[in-house]
Amino acid sequence: MSRARSRTTMMILGALAVWLGTAAAIAAPPASAPRGSTAAVRPATAPRPATAPRPATAPTSVRRSDRLPFDRDGAPVWLTGAELRSDGRRTADAVIELRGTRIATVGGPELRAKIPAGARTIDLTGKIVTPGIVAVDTGIGLVEIDAEGSTRDDAPSVPDPVRAAFDASSAIHDDSALLDVNAIEGITSAAVTPQGGLVSGQVAWIDLVGAPSLVSRPQVAMRAHLGQSVAGSRAAALLELRELFDDVAFHRRNKGAYDRNQSRHLSAHRLDLEALVPVIDGRMPLVLSADGVADLRAAIALAKTGLRVVVIGGAQAWRLADELAAAKITVFVQPSNNLPGGLDDLGARIDNAAKLATAGVEVGLAVLGDAHNARNVTQEAGLAVSYGLDPDRALAAITSVPARAYGMDAHYGKVAPGQVANLVVWGGDPFELSQRPEQVWIRGNAIAMRSRQSALRDRYLPRVRR
């Protein structure tokens, strides 16, 4: 082999080595448990017999006032024969009618008689259909490469701890490579969340594929952080948060005086104060990072004032499960985060989700702080099921629970009439490591099951096998 040819071969092998590190997760099912897990994943779910067919359900259209910006009508498409798993129910031999961007009709085999002759029908016999999965508290669309600042747009580079007016919807990157990578693994929607400070800003709800914009609804929630987010002090963070909410109410009562510069000093910019009005009115969820008992008690106290509090993290939430249930606080946990990384994580348990659910807490599951791997949430669900969480509640924890927590349940989270047609077709149990989606539907369209990673795999894998 000539020296030049050797150099070319070495360059190709080097590129393949880099690519294989990222493409392996797509090219083959993940071989190991998610980072931080202390236990291998057990077989996730025992087969559960499907229920008898349910009667057909009704509405086929969405009221104009309830329509989202992308909504459109379209010719009906009928999906038949699959086992439908949604909202704690299982329907054998299901029939699902899609019209445009929405689901029109859902039922059992008795609906087959209503399928018009010549209608477009897709046979999914032997498959499982679930609602599209929702990624919460994610930087999908805001973060491209974690270590490269020019590709991150999830926080302003300012020291101000209050950024309530920061609107994530205005910065979504429609061409992000992370969109397709996560979409083909079943993530159809995401609560895109800014980061940093005490109050990070407003969360945007997006679909991972769609036009004219990925944004389904901006400003669905406000993101904030407890813990040592202000001056390295938990007490300082709580004090500043209380002062901030007091100033929001003061500014609303005295807006005229404030505009005439006849007001006392307030702790935040006018736009930040105005952005927090829906939060103190209980119209917008306040999504709080809280892991330790002290922060969780603070979150419960805020909920008792009328705020709609959602907790992210909840490492020690199992210790206050009854109080969280009584306060009707939804808690999102990541089961594999069961190793203590600090004082707040002491006592973290892999069965946290099951214990919370048993106590009556509405529990959600998420991959936190890793936009690239939000798709691994089915593995997190598998872990939760392995450690006691009911499989149907685990499915709800990544579909309908996120939709309710962020106030989007009128449109997302279930396979039901009137919901956005976001569906995932599986060949087997979605929580088994060996399973990957066979087809994903977003806004009524079957998406191309390709990503940048799969394109690189298809380009270079044949050369490796020569």
Side-chain angles (χ1 to χ4, degrees), residues 78-164:
W78 297 82
L79 312 180
T80 64
E83 178 187 309
L84 172 61
R85 299 182 182 181
S86 175
D87 198 29
R89 300 175 180 173
R90 300 188 181 197
T91 304
D93 196 11
V95 176
I96 305 167
E97 179 193 7
L98 311 182
R99 279 185 180 267
T101 53
R102 298 279 179 159
I103 298 168
T105 313
V106 178
E110 73 282 357
L111 274 184
R112 286 177 180 271
K114 296 186 177 181
I115 301 176
R120 184 187 174 197
T121 303
I122 299 174
D123 183 11
L124 297 177
T125 301
K127 309 300 181 184
I128 294 172
V129 172
T130 69
I133 297 169
V134 180
V136 303
D137 206 54
T138 179
I140 293 175
L142 297 179
V143 177
E144 199 69 18
I145 302 172
D146 291 333
E148 174 50 49
S150 66
T151 69
R152 298 187 64 111
D153 209 356
D154 57 343
S157 300
V158 295
D160 193 337
V162 178
R163 311 151 184 184

Side-chain angles (χ1 to χ4, degrees), residues 245 278-282 284-286 299 302-309 327:
F245 289 151
V279 174
I280 67 168
D281 284 347
M284 175 185 283
L286 178 64
L302 288 170
K304 290 180 177 178
T305 67
L307 303 188
R308 291 170 54 191
V309 174

Side-chain angles (χ1 to χ4, degrees), residues 171-195:
I172 301 295
H173 180 208
D174 285 6
D175 297 323
S176 169
L178 275 63
L179 295 166
D180 291 340
V181 167
N182 283 288
I184 65 173
E185 296 289 337
I187 305 293
T188 58
S189 304
V192 180
T193 305
Q195 296 297 321

